[in-house]
Amino acid sequence: RWHVPLALSDEVGEVFFDSRFDEGSRIMNKEGGRSAAAQGEKTRIRVTTLDRFAKRHNFFEGAGIDIIKIDAEGVDGKVLAGASSLIQAQKIQVLVWENPISNYPLTIMLENGIRKETIESFEGLISFLDRVGGLECFMPFQHKRVISLRYWKDALFEPENTKLRTKLMRGNPICIHRKKLPELVKVFYEMSSDFIRNQVPTS
């Protein structure tokens, strides 16, 4: 069991956390807040990316990482952006993060930094994870049901579906690698709401 004193983001460096709060750490800024600095109420934390952490600990070898769960108090998008190589190498079997992400656009580095892709929205992120990472994404729905975001992401963002979209955005997306865990993907489709399951393509 590890306890690693690191923060994760899309860049390497350090940040300061406000030590006055107990209900989850709060990032102040890279220099630290003035009042907290004067009162000695800041904690300096080293920052790295998931890609660098994974490379250092040989997570790119073999099957990769079984599950990644991100809950980064609103900066989940930056943590995801820092895992671009893991996503491209399809080394993540299950990915969960806390929604909504508040820091779009995200800049994703591709092909070892040769090319970059800008993700402007939630829909774009789901498409990227599907297209590049081989990850099939679902969103928890009511009565222990889920919605496949692969087939329904476009419909969910139509104006007439505003209420449904607002409700769904309170949930945390669950993305599963469709080739490495096909049986789990099948289970999630079996959990899909009836009005969606009956219209999901079979191919």
Side-chain angles (χ1 to χ4, degrees):
R1 188 175 182 179
W2 290 1
H3 176 262
V4 183
L6 283 173
L8 294 172
S9 186
D10 58 349
E11 60 183 353
V12 177
E14 61 182 24
V15 293
F16 292 87
F17 283 81
D18 195 328
S19 305
R20 295 171 295 174
F21 300 97
D22 294 326
E23 67 279 13
S25 298
R26 303 185 184 188
I27 295 177
M28 297 164 65
N29 53 50
K30 292 183 178 180
E31 292 76 29
R34 292 183 179 177
S35 60
Q39 299 173 28
E41 295 173 333
K42 64 176 182 178
T43 302
R44 185 195 306 265
I45 299 292
R46 289 188 299 120
V47 180
T48 190
T49 67
L50 267 172
D51 284 340
R52 283 176 174 262
F53 184 83
K55 185 175 182 179
R56 180 177 180 182
H57 295 281
N58 300 316
F59 289 161
F60 281 95
E61 305 299 326
I65 300 174
D66 292 337
I67 182 169
I68 293 178
K69 169 67 169 71
I70 304 171
D71 182 355
E73 301 297 331
V75 293
D76 299 58
K78 288 184 174 292
V79 179
L80 283 171
S84 60
S85 295
L86 283 167
I87 294 169
Q88 291 172 79
Q90 299 198 3
K91 290 297 183 179
I92 303 172
Q93 296 194 45
V94 178
L95 172 65
V96 184
W97 74 88
E98 188 174 90
N99 212 41
I101 289 174
S102 58
N103 48 324
Y104 292 110
L106 305 175
T107 300
I108 307 291
M109 303 307 297
L110 302 173
E111 301 168 9
N112 294 320
I114 298 175
R115 183 170 63 89
K116 66 181 180 180
E117 182 169 334
T118 300
I119 297 176
E120 302 283 354
S121 63
F122 177 77
E123 310 99 289
L125 177 57
I126 295 301
S127 294
F128 174 81
L129 293 172
D130 187 303
R131 170 172 46 87
V132 177
L135 293 162
E136 186 100 12
C137 294
F138 300 86
M139 186 70 85
F141 194 46
Q142 57 190 5
H143 308 304
K144 298 183 180 180
R145 297 291 189 179
V146 297
I147 286 181
S148 165
L149 295 175
R150 182 183 189 192
Y151 294 114
W152 281 85
K153 64 180 184 302
D154 295 330
L156 288 174
F157 287 87
E158 293 296 328
E160 61 268 24
N161 291 324
T162 299
K163 289 185 178 180
L164 175 60
R165 181 175 68 251
T166 300
K167 185 174 183 178
L168 284 175
M169 289 302 99
R170 300 191 189 106
N172 297 336
I174 304 169
C175 301
I176 306 165
H177 198 285
R178 69 175 64 88
K179 291 184 178 179
K180 294 181 179 180
L181 297 172
E183 292 301 316
L184 184 56
V185 171
K186 181 179 179 181
V187 168
F188 269 67
Y189 271 121
E190 291 172 352
M191 293 169 59
S192 296
S193 297
D194 292 338
F195 76 96
I196 291 175
R197 185 170 63 244
N198 293 338
Q199 299 180 56
V200 168
T202 57
S203 60

